[in-house]
Amino acid sequence: MIIAIDGPAAAGKGTLARRLAEAYGFALLDTGLLYRAVGMKVVAADGDLDDEEGAARAARALRPDELSNPALRSDAAAQAASKVAAIAPVRAALLDFQRTFAHQPPSPAKGAILDGRDIATTVCPDAEIKLFVTASAEIRAKRRYKELLDRGLSAIYARVLEDLEERDARDKARAVSPLVAAPDALVIDTSAMDADRVFATAVDFIKSRN
Ligand code: C5P
């Protein structure tokens, strides 16, 4: 079984994906890390994030062990990710890895959960469960801001909101695999929900499909 979770940044996808993976014993792939790793590789090589061929080469050379770099969690990595994510050959280069993970998850997992922006629409249109997790930009920015402060980092709320909106706009406007809910996805607006309620809503939907 494949569970696809898509949605904009800081909507609660990651938390939901982790909780579902634990509850069902499924393997989890945070696909944002792939784009973050490609973006950071380009930046580290002093490359240009608009150079399609350079970014595609970085995507083709990506190794799974490069996904555990803590620097991938930074806002700089997020912005670099959303730039290289608009490049069609980058997306094409990352497709096989994601599909193999979805269809042959590492043993002993009985299924796979992938979270990202285009899992239900492009990577796994055959996923049995499709969830689109969203929330207002202000709520998402507040959550991200609090998370940064909790991690001991300094942040300015207005800047966090601006960065999120910039990234959302780029993800929605790109020509290839834009951020959009699949027609058969359950849309969960987490603006006024806590993590327990989001989890319960997803579990009810999964039960209703089995
Ligand atoms: O989910 P995360 O914030 O880590 O994603 C970083 C960026 O990677 C997103 O803003 C988006 O541009 C890109 N991305 C994507 N497709 C995915 C996952 C992430 O385009 N499946």
Side-chain angles (χ1 to χ4, degrees), residues 9 13 30-33 35-36 78 81-82 85 91 98 115-119 167 171 174:
K13 297 188 304 287
D30 169 359
T31 65
L33 285 178
Y35 294 92
R36 287 170 181 257
S82 86
R91 304 198 72 85
Q98 297 174 83
D115 86 75
R117 302 291 186 290
D118 65 335
I119 307 304
R167 197 142 66 91
D171 289 347
R174 67 179 174 230

